[in-house]
Amino acid sequence: MQTLSGHPQAISLAASLLEQRRLIDVYENLKQEGTLKGLEWPGETLEERKSMSNLTYTLDLSLGHIDNRDKKASQLFLMFGLFPSGLGESSIVSIWGNEDWRTRLYVLLNASLLVKREATATSGARYSLLPFMAEYALKMLKEQKEEYEKYHKKSL
């Protein structure tokens, strides 16, 4: 936990990696990438920089792990970056298609990369990214111009 600066989401992301990796391997990955150096952002304390750097790296590590196992699941994660308020199941189908989206959705939920808001009396379940993850996903998606354009057109 100290390596992750006690950031709850970084801990949650790292914990989900333990299903497929040994603790020592996750710890070594965190140490070798220099996450403890932090990023230099004006006005932030060293502890805040360490925390954000660790969170970003843990997110990179988690998404990389998902991408190695199921590239479509990581693409679904990136697609959610276009929808910061989340999507219901019918919207997911209309944008993503019927291409085994449920399995990929559960991969993201199990990795703590997606949040499910339960159905209410007036609406069905909604799935979304936490705000910092939505920004991260959108940035990554924009780097993949063709994918960005494909999902963006379908979202209009």
Side-chain angles (χ1 to χ4, degrees):
M1 282 190 357
Q2 183 179 4
T3 301
L4 299 172
S5 301
H7 195 293
Q9 192 60 41
I11 294 167
S12 177
L13 290 169
S16 68
L17 291 170
L18 295 175
E19 289 182 25
Q20 303 293 324
R21 296 180 176 194
R22 298 178 315 149
L23 177 60
I24 190 67
D25 295 335
V26 172
Y27 178 72
E28 289 300 320
N29 278 131
L30 290 170
K31 284 187 67 178
Q32 79 184 28
E33 292 297 324
T35 59
L36 300 179
K37 292 178 187 172
L39 300 174
E40 294 189 21
W41 293 315
E44 290 187 320
T45 67
L46 178 59
E47 280 306 308
E48 288 170 329
R49 287 193 305 266
K50 282 183 185 179
S51 179
M52 186 52 82
S53 177
N54 293 338
L55 178 59
T56 301
Y57 179 70
T58 308
L59 185 54
D60 287 341
L61 188 61
S62 295
L63 194 57
H65 182 69
I66 295 294
D67 194 55
N68 288 336
R69 289 181 26 219
D70 185 348
K71 289 202 181 299
K72 292 285 187 178
S74 65
Q75 285 302 123
L76 184 62
F77 172 83
L78 297 181
M79 182 197 78
F80 270 95
L82 287 168
F83 308 97
S85 62
L87 294 170
E89 293 181 357
S90 62
S91 296
I92 295 170
V93 170
S94 68
I95 296 165
W96 182 261
N98 284 323
E99 186 185 334
D100 200 17
W101 62 273
R102 280 190 201 279
T103 302
R104 293 179 169 97
L105 196 76
Y106 292 125
V107 167
L108 297 175
L109 287 167
N110 288 336
S112 300
L113 291 169
L114 197 64
V115 177
K116 178 181 180 182
R117 286 179 267 155
E118 295 298 329
T120 65
T122 58
S123 67
R126 290 187 67 80
Y127 302 89
S128 63
L129 301 173
L130 295 172
F132 77 92
M133 287 185 186
E135 288 179 29
Y136 173 94
L138 184 58
K139 179 183 172 210
M140 299 279 293
L141 183 61
K142 284 182 176 180
E143 291 173 5
Q144 299 176 16
K145 293 188 187 315
E146 289 179 20
E147 293 296 314
Y148 173 77
E149 290 173 9
K150 176 175 84 172
Y151 297 130
H152 190 265
K153 285 178 186 176
K154 288 183 178 182
S155 70
L156 299 175

